Amino acid sequence: MDFLTGDTNTTDAVLYDALYLVGGSNLSKTFKKETKKFLNKTFDHFKAIGATQKGVEILEKMEMIDHPGVVTGKETFAKDFIQAIAKYRHRTRQVEMF
């Protein structure tokens, strides 16, 4: 999503190697909806997902914490997230198909 224009037409999540969530305050409903779709697609394609600050809360609400390749803010975050990205796909992640 384009933060300046609000345009929700963006590149598909599968074209990225990873997603990093920071979160924020006063997020619009449209932004939350598009973020949820993008995050689900990233998760379903076994890509690395990292989150710090309010981004961790988003992952908690979506029940994505403690899955392979999902890294949350802690002392070793940078190292762990880099390793998750380097692995490329986390196929041991349990993904609901239906």
Side-chain angles (χ1 to χ4, degrees), residues 17 46 48 68-69 81-92:
D17 293 329
F46 310 101
F81 191 44
I82 289 168
Q83 289 176 345
I85 295 169
K87 187 169 181 183
Y88 186 60
R89 302 276 180 146
H90 298 271
R91 298 204 185 272
T92 58

Side-chain angles (χ1 to χ4, degrees), residues 23-88:
S25 58
N26 301 322
L27 304 174
S28 72
K29 287 183 181 182
T30 301
F31 182 84
K32 289 177 183 179
K33 179 181 172 186
E34 294 301 316
T35 299
K36 184 177 179 180
K37 288 190 317 191
F38 198 88
L39 181 55
N40 276 323
K41 199 161 205 178
T42 302
F43 186 85
D44 290 349
H45 284 271
F46 310 101
K47 303 288 184 129
I49 299 171
T52 57
Q53 302 172 30
K54 298 248 183 203
V56 176
E57 294 174 21
I58 294 169
L59 291 180
E60 287 171 345
K61 287 179 185 175
M62 295 184 67
E63 299 179 359
M64 292 182 177
I65 299 288
D66 297 327
H67 285 270
V70 177
V71 181
T72 56
K74 53 189 170 197
E75 289 181 26
T76 60
F77 174 80
K79 178 183 171 199
D80 295 344
F81 191 44
I82 289 168
Q83 289 176 345
I85 295 169
K87 187 169 181 183
Y88 186 60

